[in-house]
Amino acid sequence: MHTPSSFLNGQWVTGTGTPLTLLDPTTGDSIGQVHDEGLDLAGALSYGRTVGGPTLRSMTFAERGLILKGWGRAIHTARDELLDLARIDSGNTRSDGKFDIDGAAGTLSYYAYVGKTLGDVRVLAEGEPEPLTRSSARMVGHHYNVPRHGIAVHLNAFNFPAWGLCEKAACAILAGVPVLAKPAVETSLVAARIVELWHEQGLIPDGVLQLLVGEPRDLLDHLEGQDCVAFTGSGNTGRVIRTHPRVLALGIPVNVEADSLNAAVLGPDVEPGSDTFIMAVADISRDMTQKAGQKCTAVRRIVVPEAHAEAMVEALGERLADLKAGDPADRAFRVGPLATAKQHQDILAGIAALEDAHERVWGDPSARPDTGYFVAPQLFLAKGGENAALVHKSEVFGPVATVIPYDGTSESAQRIVAAGGGGLVCSIYSNDLKWARPTITGLMPWHGRIVWGSKKVHDQSIGPGTVLPNFVHGGPGAAGGGEELGGERGLSFYWQRVALQGDRGLIERLMR
Ligand code: NAP
């Protein structure tokens, strides 16, 4: 029986009250309990600000990078143990677990390298000093990025307990801001074990990283003006956090990474059976089934010229036939269960709604084990382009996607994709620059990332669903309007940019 604790105020603490039960999604059996009442969350936020903040600000980027390097190594060393936990905690197959856990270690190691390259300075200047007047070069203005003097509260979604913890923490810590991280309570075992490993190995300077295992309770009521909140989860919760009275009253920055109805668009030039077509099919089937479709970047809408819609369904069906839902410990099965009972109920309700509005064209809903939170991969067909009911509004967060036939014009493809209201990523498959130019440039403002598949790179795709630390992650509108990662860009959320004006020599001496 696992009883993960919280790491707050420099110690491991367990709350009181009625416990929350953790369940193994493969069997539905109880595997642990979380006690989270009565934890001193106000004290933890204050401890981070007063102890962790000064420690980090006294360090150079290179020194902060060394913390991240140690964390990445610790995860890598404990990889097998963490993969086992990811299976019982989240129902991850070994491959799904690696996506989360290796992704976490890789992101830490990438940001350790960014820290090394930023080097032995504590604050970053931006650009060059600019004279304020024509008559004198002495009076200048220069922009500096300084770490906020608060704590970063990180609220993470259930689906990436390792990566979510690490991608957010890497940016904040490297920027010089301490962190209180809260994994989704139902899949908190992996995040709790990672922080435990770091603590056991002496890798967490006092107050620099704290962990809340439990519900958020009154956490946000204790925010102060220099704090910030980075949230990943549903759009509804994002709105609750953005409009929290304390957030509104103090103007606290909030970064939201929310739902996304990511689209894959096939250009009219792409013939079934061609390299580019096969690339699209491989990307879509991988995205639909990796982590049982519980990826914010997974393809939900497949936009295909009418003439090729049948061929696309057939080709996807052939691939998906090999990707069966079943026990994640058995390598014969490539699709594990959904992570929680609530997700299972939500996804079954989402599929029932799709059944009412659209047509199931591939997949047998009963092709799954009777116990546990399994859902068999399924494909739907929605007619009506941008006016198709439901498919542009409802994110079914499982191994499910919908084919939307279109007339092959760039305008129509753009309207259909934009009907999703803004997304994290869109993949576009075409070798025709005349069609691709308006389509890609027209869709860029609606997305944080665009992946262009073509015959030149058909064998080099890592898929649109993979988030890399050197490229931004986030998207406008329904996707939350946030932005994370992107190398050094990911640090700016944790900084105040200040224009410092005065005597050039004095400013240089001050900031040296
Ligand atoms: P969720 O229910 O919104 O919860 C996300 C996190 O917020 C959890 O840690 C949750 O804690 C916490 N939370 C809930 N209510 C809160 C409140 N009032 N104040 C502070 N924290 C609160 O989302 P989820 O079910 O875990 O995740 C599924 C959704 O996340 C999907 O819609 C998916 O699209 C989205 N997602 C987006 C991205 C992205 O990068 N854009 C990545 C992954 C997932 P508890 O666990 O204690 O409730």
Side-chain angles (χ1 to χ4, degrees):
M1 180 69 76
H2 295 266
T3 51
S5 303
S6 294
F7 183 53
L8 301 171
N9 298 299
Q11 45 194 326
W12 289 95
V13 285
T14 305
T16 55
T18 312
L20 305 161
T21 303
L22 304 179
L23 301 174
D24 178 342
T26 304
T27 58
D29 294 341
S30 164
I31 51 165
Q33 285 188 339
V34 171
H35 288 85
D36 66 346
E37 276 180 41
L39 297 170
D40 178 13
L41 302 182
L45 293 177
S46 168
Y47 185 71
R49 288 182 206 112
T50 53
V51 178
T55 301
L56 277 175
R57 294 196 294 275
S58 73
M59 294 175 156
T60 64
F61 285 104
E63 288 167 336
R64 295 174 204 153
L66 284 177
I67 299 177
L68 305 180
K69 187 172 176 183
W71 288 3
R73 279 198 181 142
I75 290 180
H76 189 67
T77 309
R79 188 172 184 246
D80 282 329
E81 179 196 347
L82 293 170
L83 288 173
D84 278 347
L85 265 188
R87 176 170 46 74
I88 62 158
D89 184 34
S90 300
N92 284 180
T93 63
R94 192 172 165 83
S95 165
D96 289 345
K98 284 198 268 186
F99 194 62
D100 185 28
I101 287 156
D102 292 349
T107 301
L108 287 167
S109 129
Y110 170 83
Y111 273 101
Y113 176 73
V114 174
K116 188 175 165 189
T117 51
L118 292 175
D120 294 327
V121 292
R122 291 175 181 80
V123 165
L124 274 197
E126 224 182 76
E128 292 299 319
E130 292 177 41
L132 263 63
T133 61
R134 285 193 181 175
S135 54
S136 162
R138 291 197 71 112
M139 185 70 188
V140 297
H142 199 177
H143 287 99
Y144 288 92
N145 288 304
V146 295
R148 297 172 69 82
H149 280 201
I151 184 166
V153 172
H154 289 171
L155 304 165
N156 286 317
F158 73 89
N159 55 342
F160 283 98
W163 179 80
L165 167 73
C166 295
E167 56 103 17
K168 281 190 173 57
C171 290
I173 301 286
L174 194 56
V177 177
V179 169
L180 188 149
K182 196 202 96 55
V185 66
E186 284 174 298
T187 57
S188 49
L189 286 188
V190 169
R193 181 61 186 137
I194 287 174
V195 175
E196 198 176 46
L197 286 165
W198 294 343
H199 183 238
E200 282 167 6
Q201 295 172 32
L203 299 174
I204 307 180
D206 281 349
V208 160
L209 177 79
Q210 303 182 76
L211 184 81
L212 168 60
V213 176
E215 291 180 351
R217 297 184 183 272
D218 59 346
L219 180 65
L220 302 186
D221 298 342
H222 306 293
L223 291 173
E224 298 286 352
Q226 284 279 302
D227 298 339
C228 54
V229 179
F231 163 79
T232 296
S234 64
N236 284 342
T237 312
R239 278 184 282 282
V240 169
I241 291 166
R242 268 208 181 104
T243 54
H244 187 281
R246 198 83 188 148
V247 167
L248 292 177
L250 300 179
I252 291 168
V254 177
N255 192 74
V256 174
E257 300 288 340
D259 322 336
S260 180
L261 289 158
N262 311 296
V265 186
L266 198 74
D269 60 297
V270 179
E271 289 295 327
S274 65
D275 285 345
T276 311
F277 187 89
I278 293 168
M279 177 189 192
V281 170
D283 282 354
I284 296 165
S285 55
R286 184 196 307 113
D287 262 11
M288 276 181 68
T289 51
Q290 191 172 43
K291 291 214 117 226
Q294 301 165 106
K295 265 185 348 193
C296 52
T297 49
V299 175
R300 308 288 175 202
R301 299 177 298 154
I302 309 163
V303 185
V304 188
E306 279 145 13
H308 296 150
E310 209 177 306
M312 176 56 79
V313 171
E314 199 175 307
L316 280 172
E318 271 173 30
R319 288 254 177 177
L320 294 170
D322 291 335
L323 306 174
K324 295 194 169 60
D327 183 353
D330 182 341
R331 290 191 186 211
F333 296 109
R334 307 275 289 281
V335 183
L338 302 176
T340 69
K342 178 175 179 306
Q343 282 300 312
H344 193 226
Q345 285 158 11
D346 286 355
I347 280 33
L348 293 182
I351 290 173
L354 284 179
E355 277 168 345
D356 283 347
H358 307 306
E359 182 192 353
R360 183 186 287 103
V361 283
W362 191 89
D364 171 6
S366 68
R368 57 172 176 82
D370 292 333
T371 54
Y373 311 141
F374 292 91
V375 168
Q378 295 167 51
L379 271 178
F380 286 82
L381 179 75
K383 296 196 173 141
E386 75 261 38
N387 298 317
L390 206 71
V391 68
H392 305 301
K393 300 280 171 254
S394 159
E395 182 196 43
V396 181
F397 210 58
V400 180
T402 302
V403 173
I404 308 168
Y406 78 108
D407 62 12
T409 63
S410 172
E411 295 75 15
S412 167
Q414 290 177 57
R415 281 198 306 271
I416 290 172
V417 176
L424 296 173
V425 59
C426 178
S427 45
I428 289 162
Y429 301 87
S430 174
N431 297 295
D432 176 3
L433 196 55
K434 271 199 190 137
W435 180 86
R437 179 177 284 121
T439 312
I440 291 176
T441 55
L443 287 175
M444 283 170 92
W446 293 92
H447 297 91
R449 191 158 55 86
I450 301 255
V451 176
W452 183 4
S454 65
K455 63 186 171 196
K456 297 200 173 175
V457 291
H458 75 95
D459 54 354
Q460 293 169 37
S461 178
I462 55 165
T466 303
V467 175
L468 296 168
N470 39 336
F471 296 100
V472 292
H473 173 59
E483 184 181 286
E484 294 181 329
L485 300 172
E488 212 182 297
R489 297 172 190 87
L491 278 55
S492 60
F493 177 68
Y494 301 96
W495 283 336
Q496 176 62 43
R497 181 187 291 135
V498 190
L500 187 56
Q501 300 174 341
D503 177 75
R504 181 178 188 141
L506 283 176
I507 288 179
E508 279 174 6
R509 277 164 62 197
L510 179 83
M511 296 306 290
R512 192 172 296 148

PDB file of all heavy atoms in Angstrom, residues 179-195:
ATOM      1  N   VAL A 179       9.896  26.604  -6.256  1.00  0.00           N
ATOM      2  CA  VAL A 179       8.686  25.963  -6.782  1.00  0.00           C
ATOM      3  C   VAL A 179       7.932  25.219  -5.687  1.00  0.00           C
ATOM      4  O   VAL A 179       8.545  24.565  -4.840  1.00  0.00           O
ATOM      5  CB  VAL A 179       9.093  24.946  -7.878  1.00  0.00           C
ATOM      6  CG1 VAL A 179       7.919  24.066  -8.281  1.00  0.00           C
ATOM      7  CG2 VAL A 179       9.666  25.666  -9.097  1.00  0.00           C
ATOM      8  N   LEU A 180       6.598  25.328  -5.731  1.00  0.00           N
ATOM      9  CA  LEU A 180       5.760  24.366  -5.022  1.00  0.00           C
ATOM     10  C   LEU A 180       4.959  23.650  -6.108  1.00  0.00           C
ATOM     11  O   LEU A 180       4.161  24.296  -6.802  1.00  0.00           O
ATOM     12  CB  LEU A 180       4.821  25.036  -4.013  1.00  0.00           C
ATOM     13  CG  LEU A 180       4.056  24.046  -3.118  1.00  0.00           C
ATOM     14  CD1 LEU A 180       3.775  24.641  -1.751  1.00  0.00           C
ATOM     15  CD2 LEU A 180       2.768  23.549  -3.741  1.00  0.00           C
ATOM     16  N   ALA A 181       5.211  22.363  -6.288  1.00  0.00           N
ATOM     17  CA  ALA A 181       4.557  21.608  -7.360  1.00  0.00           C
ATOM     18  C   ALA A 181       3.443  20.750  -6.776  1.00  0.00           C
ATOM     19  O   ALA A 181       3.607  20.149  -5.714  1.00  0.00           O
ATOM     20  CB  ALA A 181       5.567  20.724  -8.071  1.00  0.00           C
ATOM     21  N   LYS A 182       2.327  20.711  -7.522  1.00  0.00           N
ATOM     22  CA  LYS A 182       1.206  19.854  -7.115  1.00  0.00           C
ATOM     23  C   LYS A 182       0.820  18.945  -8.270  1.00  0.00           C
ATOM     24  O   LYS A 182       0.207  19.402  -9.242  1.00  0.00           O
ATOM     25  CB  LYS A 182      -0.004  20.714  -6.725  1.00  0.00           C
ATOM     26  CG  LYS A 182      -1.022  19.905  -5.954  1.00  0.00           C
ATOM     27  CD  LYS A 182      -2.410  20.500  -6.003  1.00  0.00           C
ATOM     28  CE  LYS A 182      -3.277  19.893  -7.054  1.00  0.00           C
ATOM     29  NZ  LYS A 182      -3.438  18.447  -7.037  1.00  0.00           N
ATOM     30  N   PRO A 183       1.210  17.671  -8.199  1.00  0.00           N
ATOM     31  CA  PRO A 183       0.740  16.749  -9.238  1.00  0.00           C
ATOM     32  C   PRO A 183      -0.750  16.482  -9.030  1.00  0.00           C
ATOM     33  O   PRO A 183      -1.271  16.711  -7.940  1.00  0.00           O
ATOM     34  CB  PRO A 183       1.554  15.471  -8.982  1.00  0.00           C
ATOM     35  CG  PRO A 183       1.960  15.534  -7.550  1.00  0.00           C
ATOM     36  CD  PRO A 183       2.002  16.984  -7.148  1.00  0.00           C
ATOM     37  N   ALA A 184      -1.420  16.016 -10.093  1.00  0.00           N
ATOM     38  CA  ALA A 184      -2.816  15.597  -9.917  1.00  0.00           C
ATOM     39  C   ALA A 184      -2.812  14.489  -8.870  1.00  0.00           C
ATOM     40  O   ALA A 184      -1.982  13.573  -8.920  1.00  0.00           O
ATOM     41  CB  ALA A 184      -3.378  15.092 -11.229  1.00  0.00           C
ATOM     42  N   VAL A 185      -3.719  14.568  -7.937  1.00  0.00           N
ATOM     43  CA  VAL A 185      -3.630  13.686  -6.777  1.00  0.00           C
ATOM     44  C   VAL A 185      -3.740  12.203  -7.165  1.00  0.00           C
ATOM     45  O   VAL A 185      -3.035  11.345  -6.608  1.00  0.00           O
ATOM     46  CB  VAL A 185      -4.669  14.100  -5.703  1.00  0.00           C
ATOM     47  CG1 VAL A 185      -6.080  13.896  -6.164  1.00  0.00           C
ATOM     48  CG2 VAL A 185      -4.422  13.398  -4.408  1.00  0.00           C
ATOM     49  N   GLU A 186      -4.570  11.894  -8.159  1.00  0.00           N
ATOM     50  CA  GLU A 186      -4.830  10.476  -8.450  1.00  0.00           C
ATOM     51  C   GLU A 186      -3.649   9.745  -9.081  1.00  0.00           C
ATOM     52  O   GLU A 186      -3.593   8.527  -9.073  1.00  0.00           O
ATOM     53  CB  GLU A 186      -6.066  10.359  -9.356  1.00  0.00           C
ATOM     54  CG  GLU A 186      -7.339  10.577  -8.566  1.00  0.00           C
ATOM     55  CD  GLU A 186      -8.552  10.622  -9.470  1.00  0.00           C
ATOM     56  OE1 GLU A 186      -8.596  11.540 -10.311  1.00  0.00           O
ATOM     57  OE2 GLU A 186      -9.428   9.768  -9.329  1.00  0.00           O
ATOM     58  N   THR A 187      -2.722  10.494  -9.687  1.00  0.00           N
ATOM     59  CA  THR A 187      -1.544   9.847 -10.280  1.00  0.00           C
ATOM     60  C   THR A 187      -0.274  10.455  -9.679  1.00  0.00           C
ATOM     61  O   THR A 187       0.683  10.756 -10.390  1.00  0.00           O
ATOM     62  CB  THR A 187      -1.509  10.017 -11.811  1.00  0.00           C
ATOM     63  OG1 THR A 187      -1.532  11.422 -12.112  1.00  0.00           O
ATOM     64  CG2 THR A 187      -2.699   9.352 -12.482  1.00  0.00           C
ATOM     65  N   SER A 188      -0.271  10.600  -8.358  1.00  0.00           N
ATOM     66  CA  SER A 188       0.828  11.344  -7.719  1.00  0.00           C
ATOM     67  C   SER A 188       2.013  10.473  -7.320  1.00  0.00           C
ATOM     68  O   SER A 188       3.043  10.995  -6.886  1.00  0.00           O
ATOM     69  CB  SER A 188       0.287  12.077  -6.494  1.00  0.00           C
ATOM     70  OG  SER A 188      -0.456  11.191  -5.694  1.00  0.00           O
ATOM     71  N   LEU A 189       1.919   9.136  -7.466  1.00  0.00           N
ATOM     72  CA  LEU A 189       2.991   8.274  -6.957  1.00  0.00           C
ATOM     73  C   LEU A 189       4.330   8.548  -7.630  1.00  0.00           C
ATOM     74  O   LEU A 189       5.374   8.585  -6.983  1.00  0.00           O
ATOM     75  CB  LEU A 189       2.636   6.795  -7.166  1.00  0.00           C
ATOM     76  CG  LEU A 189       1.568   6.202  -6.257  1.00  0.00           C
ATOM     77  CD1 LEU A 189       1.479   4.692  -6.472  1.00  0.00           C
ATOM     78  CD2 LEU A 189       1.843   6.520  -4.807  1.00  0.00           C
ATOM     79  N   VAL A 190       4.311   8.728  -8.951  1.00  0.00           N
ATOM     80  CA  VAL A 190       5.575   8.888  -9.680  1.00  0.00           C
ATOM     81  C   VAL A 190       6.249  10.199  -9.284  1.00  0.00           C
ATOM     82  O   VAL A 190       7.447  10.231  -8.960  1.00  0.00           O
ATOM     83  CB  VAL A 190       5.339   8.823 -11.211  1.00  0.00           C
ATOM     84  CG1 VAL A 190       6.570   9.246 -11.974  1.00  0.00           C
ATOM     85  CG2 VAL A 190       4.941   7.402 -11.609  1.00  0.00           C
ATOM     86  N   ALA A 191       5.469  11.294  -9.256  1.00  0.00           N
ATOM     87  CA  ALA A 191       6.049  12.594  -8.890  1.00  0.00           C
ATOM     88  C   ALA A 191       6.581  12.548  -7.456  1.00  0.00           C
ATOM     89  O   ALA A 191       7.671  13.067  -7.165  1.00  0.00           O
ATOM     90  CB  ALA A 191       5.011  13.700  -9.046  1.00  0.00           C
ATOM     91  N   ALA A 192       5.815  11.908  -6.553  1.00  0.00           N
ATOM     92  CA  ALA A 192       6.250  11.846  -5.147  1.00  0.00           C
ATOM     93  C   ALA A 192       7.559  11.066  -5.022  1.00  0.00           C
ATOM     94  O   ALA A 192       8.466  11.455  -4.286  1.00  0.00           O
ATOM     95  CB  ALA A 192       5.161  11.205  -4.291  1.00  0.00           C
ATOM     96  N   ARG A 193       7.665   9.966  -5.766  1.00  0.00           N
ATOM     97  CA  ARG A 193       8.896   9.157  -5.676  1.00  0.00           C
ATOM     98  C   ARG A 193      10.091   9.920  -6.259  1.00  0.00           C
ATOM     99  O   ARG A 193      11.201   9.843  -5.741  1.00  0.00           O
ATOM    100  CB  ARG A 193       8.681   7.820  -6.419  1.00  0.00           C
ATOM    101  CG  ARG A 193       9.882   6.893  -6.376  1.00  0.00           C
ATOM    102  CD  ARG A 193      10.263   6.478  -4.950  1.00  0.00           C
ATOM    103  NE  ARG A 193      11.499   5.703  -4.904  1.00  0.00           N
ATOM    104  CZ  ARG A 193      12.473   5.865  -4.003  1.00  0.00           C
ATOM    105  NH1 ARG A 193      12.361   6.783  -3.036  1.00  0.00           N
ATOM    106  NH2 ARG A 193      13.553   5.121  -4.036  1.00  0.00           N
ATOM    107  N   ILE A 194       9.850  10.675  -7.334  1.00  0.00           N
ATOM    108  CA  ILE A 194      10.952  11.450  -7.934  1.00  0.00           C
ATOM    109  C   ILE A 194      11.483  12.468  -6.923  1.00  0.00           C
ATOM    110  O   ILE A 194      12.694  12.568  -6.709  1.00  0.00           O
ATOM    111  CB  ILE A 194      10.478  12.154  -9.229  1.00  0.00           C
ATOM    112  CG1 ILE A 194      10.309  11.123 -10.347  1.00  0.00           C
ATOM    113  CG2 ILE A 194      11.452  13.237  -9.659  1.00  0.00           C
ATOM    114  CD1 ILE A 194       9.709  11.681 -11.630  1.00  0.00           C
ATOM    115  N   VAL A 195      10.580  13.188  -6.279  1.00  0.00           N
ATOM    116  CA  VAL A 195      11.042  14.207  -5.318  1.00  0.00           C
ATOM    117  C   VAL A 195      11.724  13.525  -4.136  1.00  0.00           C
ATOM    118  O   VAL A 195      12.737  14.013  -3.610  1.00  0.00           O
ATOM    119  CB  VAL A 195       9.859  15.105  -4.881  1.00  0.00           C
ATOM    120  CG1 VAL A 195      10.290  16.076  -3.789  1.00  0.00           C
ATOM    121  CG2 VAL A 195       9.329  15.880  -6.083  1.00  0.00           C
TER     122      VAL A 195
END
